[in-house]
Amino acid sequence: MTSPPDPPHILLRSMGHATVVIDGAAVTWPARSAEELLWFLHAHPAGVYRYDILNLLWGLEDTPAAANRFRVALHRLRHCLRRPDAVLERGGRYQLHPDLLAASDTHSLHQALSSSRLASTAREREDLLRRALAAADGEYLPQLQGDWVDQARSHHRAAIVEAELTLAALHCGAQECTLAAQALVRAAQEDPLIGELHHQRLMACLATTRDRFAAIEHYRRYRHFLSHEVGDTPMPDTVTLAERIKAGEQPCADGFPDFMDRQGRP
């Protein structure tokens, strides 16, 4: 009896330039609807009903014509991935096969981040965090628009920010000030609303690793962001810190005793 052929080796790269790679070659989609269906299911790993796919992805009611469009897109998706079981249907919910979800960069990101929380040593935790961040190369599905993809982006962005902030805390605890500052800069770039404590920490790191002008420049940019994007002003503690740095103090020498506690001790 002839053994069934091995399934193709598939990689799903959803961050940065979204592509699907099968056995080393990028997939060429015969129709945009098949690619959209793939990424919509990727963003909903627990599965989603056909009605919601039609409504949230394509803005359609569940009519016979719309149902036919879904069936065609589903057939094309399975054919392109060379796996009849690429999309599973269970209790009316459609979801990507677990093997495909596990083959995606976002899975690597969250898996490494989850493992880092359970790591027993700071060095092991740092290695896992760096592995997580290596998987997060760019924005999630930049070619797509819609509330559903915005929600998924926020979820993955929060994971990246958590990894950067935890990495900064580890470097801070090891007195690796330059590396701590770099991680905080990346976290603030990813999400300017990371929390004012982290902006204070970054100001102190910049004053220590570079100079007071770099720290004050960050404070000014943060104040401008709050004013123009949020309609708010920095907290009094942040203003006081800026004044101390302007006066030539290096507040990092005083320490931020709650910084490690708020990030979780390594």
Side-chain angles (χ1 to χ4, degrees):
M1 181 179 296
T2 304
S3 301
D6 293 333
H9 183 258
I10 302 177
L11 293 175
L12 273 64
R13 297 172 180 166
S14 62
M15 307 189 79
H17 181 65
T19 57
V20 178
V21 179
I22 301 181
D23 293 338
V27 167
T28 299
W29 296 98
R32 182 173 174 82
S33 58
E35 183 183 14
E36 290 174 339
L37 179 58
L38 167 71
W39 294 124
F40 186 83
L41 294 174
H42 180 266
H44 298 85
V48 62
Y49 292 106
R50 185 182 70 183
Y51 172 86
D52 292 318
I53 296 173
L54 292 172
N55 181 258
L56 298 175
L57 179 57
W58 294 314
L60 300 174
E61 296 295 328
D62 195 359
T63 63
N68 185 63
R69 173 177 178 174
F70 170 75
R71 284 192 294 270
V72 171
L74 181 60
H75 171 76
R76 287 172 171 166
L77 171 56
R78 287 169 169 160
H79 179 75
C80 283
L81 297 185
R82 291 158 37 193
R83 285 192 59 157
D85 63 349
V87 178
L88 305 174
E89 188 271 319
R90 295 169 178 167
R93 297 173 71 94
Y94 293 85
Q95 61 187 136
L96 286 182
H97 192 287
D99 289 350
L100 297 181
L101 292 172
S104 71
D105 48 5
T106 53
H107 178 272
S108 299
L109 164 66
H110 291 279
Q111 185 64 37
L113 184 57
S114 178
S115 297
S116 75
R117 301 186 189 110
L118 304 176
S120 57
T121 67
R123 181 57 60 190
E124 181 184 1
R125 196 176 189 190
E126 179 183 341
D127 289 343
L128 286 165
L129 288 168
R130 293 196 180 281
R131 188 183 307 171
L133 291 168
D137 186 17
E139 186 179 62
Y140 181 70
L141 301 181
Q143 82 279 23
L144 296 177
Q145 301 296 325
D147 291 342
W148 66 270
V149 76
D150 288 340
Q151 293 172 4
R153 281 188 191 123
S154 296
H155 174 62
H156 300 313
R157 184 180 298 116
I160 295 170
V161 170
E162 178 187 342
E164 293 287 13
L165 292 178
T166 307
L167 195 60
L170 289 169
H171 289 311
C172 184
Q175 297 185 335
E176 298 168 338
C177 301
T178 298
L179 294 176
Q182 291 172 353
L184 285 168
V185 166
R186 291 191 298 268
Q189 290 173 340
E190 194 72 37
D191 181 9
L193 294 175
I194 54 175
E196 203 142 335
L197 170 69
H198 302 301
H199 285 282
Q200 293 175 11
R201 176 74 258 179
L202 177 52
M203 290 163 59
C205 284
L206 291 173
T208 300
T209 61
R210 294 176 61 183
D211 53 45
R212 61 178 178 171
F213 302 106
I216 296 305
E217 178 59 27
H218 176 77
Y219 167 72
R220 288 173 178 163
R221 288 197 302 268
Y222 178 59
R223 185 179 62 189
H224 182 272
F225 171 82
L226 287 179
S227 174
H228 288 76
E229 301 296 332
V230 184
D232 203 353
T233 57
M235 296 189 305
D237 286 352
T238 307
V239 178
T240 299
L241 176 61
E243 293 301 322
R244 290 173 57 195
I245 292 174
K246 286 180 183 178
E249 294 186 40
Q250 288 195 347
C252 197
D254 299 334
F256 280 71
D258 61 347
F259 179 66
M260 291 293 289
D261 291 329
R262 294 194 190 188
Q263 288 306 307
R265 290 193 176 276

